[in-house]
């Protein structure tokens, strides 16, 4: 009888322990599940980025047209090194040169140019990485002049992050029609503050922005509006902006409406313009060039096959 009672007691005790463990797992599951719209947005963004990493490799057109990568304010060689490395690993292109521009416009380079036809990649570094966009536009011109004279390069693509995107656009509306310089075939801007950091446009819808332009414009934007007529008609543009979806209405540094404001000028002139917005926790301004979704957008635009 005692054995029967002891056995029954042990069975009941094990059952209670099992139920307790089950409740603990349920509690952890509820705690880990997203309970706010912000959490859901972050999970969605991460799923999209993971999908881009696990998708089939990009089918690329292999060309001899070099693509120049231009860093942002205070940028260094590390700014685009990750993206360039991923492009090489994926077989989308091959790094050929690193070109450094001094404040006086003089050029030095490392690497080897071999007239390759495997989407050569060139990293451009400004020795004075805190200078203004006007001087940087002149330095972009100095690089293109050097490439034309030294390697007889007649066509390039430009990719600029942040200030590098603004300076590249400044170059295009200032020197883009100069036939003595290499033609810019395609231009990609990533997180570029085309309408600077003015306030007053936060309540404007993106549809209104596209149709009418920004309500409040900066001196920079006003200059671009005056010079847009000189933007080279055959240069295609991709404009990528980030939105953390955390209430900042931007990538933590550049407002979405500042980045997309340039679309109004481009479309008003009937220029070839495309824009993309990447969203979620991994779209912080300094991480946009580390985001694999951005990689895919850039690769498709520059070298993707239809």
């Amino acid at each position: 009888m005692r054995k029967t009672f002891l056995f029954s007691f042990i069975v009941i005790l094990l059952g209670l322990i099992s139920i307790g463990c089950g409740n603990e797992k349920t509690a952890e599951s509820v705690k880990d599940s997203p309970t706010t719209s912000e959490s859901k947005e972050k999970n969605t963004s991460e799923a999209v980025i993971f999908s881009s990493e696990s998708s089939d490799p990009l089918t690329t057109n292999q060309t001899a047209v070099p693509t120049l990568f231009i860093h942002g304010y205070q940028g260094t060689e590390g700014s685009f090194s990750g993206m360039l490395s991923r492009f090489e690993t994926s077989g989308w292109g091959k790094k050929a040169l690193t070109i450094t521009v001094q404040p006086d416009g003089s050029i030095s380079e490392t690497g080897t140019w071999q007239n390759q036809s495997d989407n050569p990649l060139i990293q451009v570094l400004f020795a004075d990485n805190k200078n203004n966009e006007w001087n940087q536009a002149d330095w972009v011109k100095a690089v293109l002049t050097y490439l034309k004279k030294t390697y007889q390069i007649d066509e390039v693509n430009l990719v600029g992050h942040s200030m590098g995107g603004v300076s590249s656009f400044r170059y295009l509306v200032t020197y883009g029609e100069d036939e003595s310089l290499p033609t810019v075939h395609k231009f990609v801007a990533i997180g570029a503050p085309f309408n600077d950091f003015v306030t007053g446009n936060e309540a404007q819808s993106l549809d209104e922005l596209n149709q009418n332009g920004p309500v409040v414009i900066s001196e920079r934007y006003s200059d671009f509006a005056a010079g847009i007529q000189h933007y080279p008609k055959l240069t295609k543009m991709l404009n990528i902006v980030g939105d953390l979806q955390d209430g900042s209405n931007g990538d933590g540094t550049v407002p979405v409406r500042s980045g997309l404001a340039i679309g109004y000028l481009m479309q008003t002139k009937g220029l070839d313009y495309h824009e993309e917005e990447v969203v979620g926790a991994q779209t912080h301004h300094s991480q946009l060039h580390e985001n694999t979704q951005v990689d895919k957008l850039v690769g498709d635009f520059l070298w993707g096959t239809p």
Side-chain angles (χ1 to χ4, degrees), residues 152-290:
Q152 294 73 56
I153 291 172
D154 293 318
E155 187 175 15
V156 300
N157 299 317
L158 299 179
V159 177
H161 172 250
S162 192
M163 184 75 161
V166 171
S167 300
S168 296
F169 195 87
R170 175 75 64 184
Y171 165 82
L172 286 166
V173 297
T174 306
Y175 303 112
E177 294 181 319
D178 188 336
E179 295 182 356
S180 70
L181 296 168
T183 299
V184 177
H185 180 47
K186 294 180 179 180
F187 164 50
V188 181
I190 304 173
F194 290 113
N195 195 21
D196 217 331
F197 299 97
V198 297
T199 58
N201 296 312
E202 296 78 12
Q204 186 180 28
S205 72
L206 295 182
D207 285 341
E208 291 173 340
L209 177 66
N210 287 332
Q211 293 174 11
N212 305 312
V215 175
V216 180
I217 65 174
S218 63
E219 181 179 353
R220 172 183 295 165
Y221 191 83
S222 179
D223 285 347
F224 286 155
I228 192 67
Q229 60 185 334
H230 299 298
Y231 185 97
K233 294 179 175 56
L234 298 180
T235 300
K236 300 177 181 180
M237 178 178 177
L238 171 63
N239 188 18
I240 301 173
V241 299
D243 186 354
L244 291 167
Q245 293 192 330
D246 61 351
S248 66
N249 295 311
D251 61 17
T253 299
V254 176
V256 166
R257 284 160 182 77
S258 176
L260 296 182
I262 206 66
Y264 172 73
L265 299 180
M266 294 290 289
Q267 294 174 101
T268 298
K269 292 298 181 181
L271 297 165
D272 194 328
Y273 171 83
H274 309 272
E275 61 186 39
E276 295 284 350
E277 183 177 357
V278 291
V279 302
Q282 297 186 29
T283 61
H284 191 277
H285 184 70
S286 62
Q287 292 300 308
L288 283 172
H289 45 56
E290 304 305 324

Side-chain angles (χ1 to χ4, degrees), residues 56-133:
D56 292 334
L58 183 73
T59 302
T60 58
N61 288 312
Q62 299 295 311
T63 76
V65 177
T67 300
L68 280 58
F69 293 80
I70 303 170
H71 62 72
Y73 188 77
Q74 291 187 305
T76 65
E77 187 170 4
S79 299
F80 269 117
S81 61
M83 179 178 281
L84 295 176
S85 178
R86 293 190 298 274
F87 283 1
E88 285 196 288
T89 300
S90 300
W92 299 356
K94 185 173 179 61
K95 187 173 180 180
L97 298 173
T98 297
I99 292 178
T100 301
V101 192
Q102 298 298 326
D104 63 0
S106 59
I107 302 286
S108 60
E109 65 167 76
T110 59
T112 303
W113 181 261
Q114 298 177 330
N115 293 319
Q116 61 261 45
S117 297
D118 51 5
N119 298 333
L121 313 174
I122 298 176
Q123 189 168 18
V124 176
L125 304 176
F126 298 136
D128 181 357
N129 60 5
K130 299 179 184 179
N131 215 299
N132 62 62
E133 66 196 71

